[in-house]
Amino acid sequence: MPASGSKATEDLETLKSTVATALALLAQLQTPAAPTANATTTQVHALDLAHDAASLIRAHSTKLSLLIINKPFTASAITTVLRELVSGPLPGLASAVEHCDGAKYTKAMNEELKYQAGRVFTEFGTLVKAIPLDGKILSDDAKNGTGSSKGKGSLAMTGTVWQACDAVVGLKALGIAGLVIKKAEQYRATLKDALEELQEWGEEESDGEDDEGDTGSVDEDDAQAAVDGMFGNQRHIPSDDPEKIRPRLESSLKRLRLLSLMYQAVVKRRFKTLPKLPLPEYTAEQREDSNQSPKVVVCVDEVLDLMKVIPDMVDELASAFYELDGLDIDERMDQCFNSGLAAAQLLVRDWKGKEDEFTAWVQKFQLAMNKEVRSD
């Protein structure tokens, strides 16, 4: 019996040491290093590696979750699971992030994998901290997050680890083109929201001349004034429109609709026809023979960056309209719509550098945008 007790005590001490090691590793992995030259030249596929590592982390988390809530409490079994994770899947996922060089996988995928892997490390670390180190399984309250225990229970923690791992695993199936399309569609949705909000504002009429007929109480007026002061009551275009705000608004709305169509066309004609990324490591001669442009990834990143910032520019344009500031409106219009024209111009040729149907579409788009400029 004493021998058994000594073994249990030894196993528990080993578990404590292993938990500390795992937490230290997780803290280190949450600040991944920049890709090294060795990492970027290896043949390892970052998304494959991330998929396999996250799948193993998910499976091991399930084992760990069961071991800390079911009798008998077996410290040595928990230690084994942690050691397997520390020696393989956890550093493997970090290695996948390191191999996911933005110059090969696009900046979008580099940032997405880094973010999702970070979630895995964070959520798994929370589960590791829940491992009991007193030789007993977790109580029902600690398991379910009930009673006097603070925060989530271990079952909920396990669920968040699963979700984080599933997000990483899903990147392989989504692929780089899929992620680029997803991002572009998100940016288009944001752009459409901004367009609709600006359009609704333009349809509202100034109520500055309706004060005499207001039968509301003074208290109600004061209360409304206070709310407007807190949240910034928007001004509306006056009927005489001395600053010519409405013509600017109509021109802007037309071009914003054209920008929304441009996003849609880019997804269909360019992003859905992206070559498989990352591109093979061609020599200069092979690249010339394949007619494959080495600047595909750079172009995708530049276009996505523009598609991302344009909705923010539209918000700034809307703010200029709300202030009825003609000069600021003109400046914001130029900034916003020139960015849209630049994005289209980057994609005027296909991924092999040839003209196609979309080339003609881009030219028509540019003419339509410039026509609105001339009519301002």
Side-chain angles (χ1 to χ4, degrees), residues 14 19 27 38 42 70 93 101 118 146 152 167 231 239 241 255 289 299 307 321 324 363:
T14 302
V19 166
N38 187 44
T42 183
N70 290 310
L93 181 55
D101 180 18
T146 56
K152 294 184 292 188
F231 296 101
S239 57
D241 194 11
R255 281 185 279 179
D289 291 341
C299 182
M307 294 177 103
F321 272 110
L324 307 181
Q363 292 168 349

Side-chain angles (χ1 to χ4, degrees), residues 32 73 142 144 165 179-180 188 226-227 259 339 350 353 370:
F73 181 84
N144 299 313
C165 290
L179 178 66
V180 168
R188 179 173 183 254
V227 172
L259 279 181
S339 295
D350 69 13
N370 290 326

Side-chain angles (χ1 to χ4, degrees), residues 6 16 40 47 50 80 107 117 120 130-131 147 150 170 191 194 222 237 267 286 298 313 322 325:
S6 176
K16 291 178 181 179
T40 57
L47 300 185
T80 298
K107 185 172 68 173
V120 172
I131 295 174
K150 296 181 180 179
L191 173 62
D222 291 343
I237 303 173
V267 167
Q286 288 174 326
V298 174
M313 293 178 182
Y322 301 154
D325 187 336

Side-chain angles (χ1 to χ4, degrees), residues 72-349:
F73 181 84
T74 311
S76 59
I78 299 172
T79 297
T80 298
V81 172
L82 285 177
R83 283 176 171 171
E84 289 174 353
L85 281 164
V86 167
S87 64
L90 289 174
L93 181 55
S95 179
V97 174
E98 186 178 350
H99 281 86
C100 190
D101 180 18
K104 291 177 61 179
Y105 290 82
T106 73
K107 185 172 68 173
M109 181 57 80
N110 171 270
E111 292 175 350
E112 186 72 15
L113 180 56
K114 187 180 298 183
Y115 169 74
Q116 299 297 353
R119 284 185 59 220
V120 172
F121 297 142
T122 298
E123 300 301 342
F124 182 69
T126 301
L127 181 60
V128 171
K129 291 175 183 176
I131 295 174
L133 301 177
D134 58 358
K136 301 177 182 178
I137 63 170
L138 292 177
S139 66
D140 287 342
D141 284 342
K143 178 176 71 174
N144 299 313
T146 56
S148 59
S149 61
K150 296 181 180 179
K152 294 184 292 188
S154 66
L155 294 180
M157 293 175 192
T158 305
T160 57
V161 174
W162 288 353
Q163 290 174 354
C165 290
D166 289 344
V168 172
V169 168
L171 290 177
K172 178 181 177 180
L174 182 62
I176 296 172
L179 178 66
V180 168
I181 290 168
K182 180 180 177 181
K183 293 288 185 183
E185 290 176 342
Q186 288 173 346
Y187 301 150
R188 179 173 183 254
T190 305
L191 173 62
K192 289 181 67 177
D193 288 344
L195 165 60
E196 290 171 3
E197 182 178 325
L198 186 57
Q199 183 172 331
E200 290 174 3
W201 171 83
E203 293 170 353
E204 296 174 358
E205 295 183 358
S206 175
D207 54 5
E209 298 176 2
D210 297 332
D211 293 342
E212 285 185 29
D214 189 359
T215 57
S217 69
V218 174
D219 289 342
E220 289 175 343
D221 290 343
D222 291 343
Q224 184 61 47
V227 172
D228 291 343
M230 290 172 62
F231 296 101
N233 191 25
Q234 293 174 349
R235 301 161 65 188
H236 300 292
I237 303 173
S239 57
D240 57 346
D241 194 11
E243 296 293 326
K244 306 299 181 185
I245 301 299
R246 190 161 296 281
R248 289 181 169 96
L249 176 63
E250 291 173 356
S251 175
S252 291
L253 291 175
K254 288 179 183 178
R255 281 185 279 179
L256 287 173
R257 294 187 190 101
L258 286 171
L259 279 181
S260 180
L261 286 174
M262 186 269 287
Y263 276 52
Q264 189 175 12
V266 164
V267 167
K268 181 178 180 180
R269 299 296 183 181
R270 287 294 181 257
F271 290 164
K272 287 187 176 181
T273 61
L274 270 169
K276 186 175 181 181
L277 298 175
L279 298 173
E281 293 291 337
Y282 290 136
T283 65
E285 290 183 359
Q286 288 174 326
R287 189 179 295 120
E288 185 176 349
D289 291 341
S290 70
N291 202 24
Q292 179 63 71
S293 170
K295 298 181 180 179
V296 169
V297 173
V298 174
C299 182
V300 170
D301 284 337
E302 289 180 356
V303 172
L304 269 187
D305 283 344
L306 287 168
M307 294 177 103
K308 180 179 180 179
V309 300
I310 286 173
D312 294 333
M313 293 178 182
V314 176
D315 286 339
E316 294 172 354
L317 173 61
S319 296
F321 272 110
Y322 301 154
E323 293 297 324
L324 307 181
D325 187 336
L327 292 177
D328 196 25
I329 289 171
D330 291 342
E331 181 180 341
R332 300 297 182 185
M333 286 169 65
D334 287 344
Q335 183 184 37
C336 177
F337 301 128
N338 286 340
S339 295
L341 289 168
Q345 185 60 37
L346 284 167
L347 299 171
V348 71
R349 295 178 182 270

